[in-house]
Amino acid sequence: MSIPTTAVMAILTVKAGVTREQVMAVMPDEIRQTVQLYLNGKIREWYSRADGRGVVILLNAKDVAEADAIMAGLPLGKTDLMDHEYVAIGPLLPLRLLIARP
C-alpha cells in the first residue's frame, strides 16, 4: 500500500565552505519571503536545527518537486548557499491496525 504525500519535510544545511556572513547577507530577504510563504499556507511548521547549521521546514506540498520549486525560489536557494534534502511524508499507516476489522 502506498502512502499518500500530505507534506514534504525540507532539511536545509549550510554548504561546506559557506561563511556565516554569506548567509546573513541574504537573511533579511529570506525571512520576509519565508514569512510570506507561511502566511500563504505553504509552510506548515519551521524549526532551527539544534546543530546551528540550518533549518527544517514542513511544507504543504503535493510532492518533492513542488517543495524543491518553493525552496529554490527563496534567496538562500537562489544563491546556492544551502544543501537541501527532501522527505515526502504522509499518514502513519500502522494506525490502520486500530480500525481494521478482524
Side-chain angles (χ1 to χ4, degrees):
M1 173 177 292
S2 67
I3 300 173
T5 298
T6 58
V8 176
M9 182 172 49
I11 304 166
L12 286 69
T13 308
V14 177
K15 287 188 173 189
V18 171
T19 66
R20 179 173 171 76
E21 291 75 23
Q22 288 174 289
V23 172
M24 294 310 292
V26 297
M27 284 310 291
D29 287 336
E30 180 79 10
I31 292 166
R32 278 190 287 280
Q33 291 181 36
T34 303
V35 168
Q36 191 61 57
L37 285 172
Y38 173 77
L39 294 173
N40 291 344
K42 287 297 184 183
I43 292 178
R44 185 182 302 179
E45 298 176 46
W46 46 10
Y47 302 95
S48 292
R49 290 177 44 145
D51 63 7
R53 295 204 19 87
V55 298
V56 176
I57 299 175
L58 193 59
L59 296 156
N60 287 320
K62 67 182 182 297
D63 55 31
V64 169
E66 181 183 1
D68 187 46
I70 291 168
M71 299 311 296
L74 291 171
L76 285 172
K78 290 177 181 177
T79 56
D80 198 32
L81 299 176
M82 308 288 280
D83 285 323
H84 298 81
E85 178 184 350
Y86 299 100
V87 179
I89 58 175
L92 186 61
L93 287 185
L95 291 176
R96 291 185 190 274
L97 297 172
L98 295 173
I99 58 172
R101 299 208 196 283

